[in-house]
Amino acid sequence: MAKLKNGRLRRKDGVWDPLKDSSTDKKRAEGVPKTPQSASPAYRLAYADDDFLCREELRPIRLQLELLKTEMALTESGIKSTVVMFGGARIPAPGASAWAARNDTQRAHLEAASVYYAEARKFARLCSEQAAKTAYQEYLVVTGGGPGVMEAGNRGAADAGAPSIGLNIVLPHEQAPNPYVTPEFSFNFHYFAIRKMHFMLRAKAITVFPGGFGTLDEMFEALTLIQTGRMAPIPLILFGAEFWHRIINFEALADFGTIAPDDVNLLKFVETADEAWKIISDFYELTA
């Protein structure tokens, strides 16, 4: 708070608030003499008590906190829109070994897939060059924050000197922030559902590179939102037509009748970063 000449207080946003703020009282409570009473968990301020906040009954509060923390940070930074990049954590950079391979077949496929790392990196650079024209308020790259295609996305933004966002999640493996995520936009989640919401909330386009269960989950979540009209029909672009048509028979779904024939057209297939960016540029009528 900022103290006025008359000794009264206003918040930083100018709103009059005569009450002591929570941070001040938290520090004050930490400074009381240590006694059996003050050392008891019962004495902790509720909002400063990690054990209390992690109780099962507090799950609704934790969900709200995960939604609010990232939303407030992005809003305060003036970020208005993003381009989402989904893709496999196990895809290596060109020339790097396939660290996740469990056999020779997997190694061959993953190392050949390094072409998608290169295209993801270039695509993120193209997005970031557009973002620079908006003072980095629009078209910021957002990834899952981890390795593989996610790393390539944040790295491509860094190549252009642009900030980028990483939405990490606590997993037993694979998920630590890659070094190219902008530190102040390096978020971490416990709840998959809230993380997915943040991917969608500012998305002007969604790109999906080859990946595994997590990538498929994210792709179908976005596809369902668009198909059902719960989300605007933004570009949904899949890199690598051969990969996608091999693992998912979209036309068979339409033939069987479980999706409408036109639903297949919600997806755009590309091979290169330039093709993907042209789809987005044409969709939003961006000037060169």
Side-chain angles (χ1 to χ4, degrees), residues 137-206:
Q137 293 185 333
E138 307 269 5
Y139 299 98
L140 258 70
V141 167
V142 56
T143 79
V149 167
M150 296 175 279
E151 176 186 283
N154 297 117
R155 187 175 183 180
D159 290 341
S164 66
I165 303 164
L167 305 181
N168 281 268
I169 191 159
V170 178
L171 294 175
H173 56 83
E174 292 182 1
Q175 194 68 25
N178 69 67
Y180 302 102
V181 178
T182 301
E184 56 266 38
F185 298 143
S186 181
F187 302 103
N188 200 16
F189 293 84
H190 172 71
Y191 296 106
F192 271 99
I194 302 301
R195 180 176 181 249
K196 287 179 182 178
M197 283 189 68
H198 281 297
F199 276 123
M200 299 296 106
L201 281 172
R202 288 171 168 78
K204 272 198 165 178
I206 298 167

Side-chain angles (χ1 to χ4, degrees), residues 109-126:
H109 284 307
L110 288 172
E111 290 181 359
S114 65
V115 64
Y116 296 116
Y117 184 108
E119 291 301 325
R121 183 176 177 181
K122 180 179 180 180
F123 175 74
R125 179 175 57 77
L126 293 174

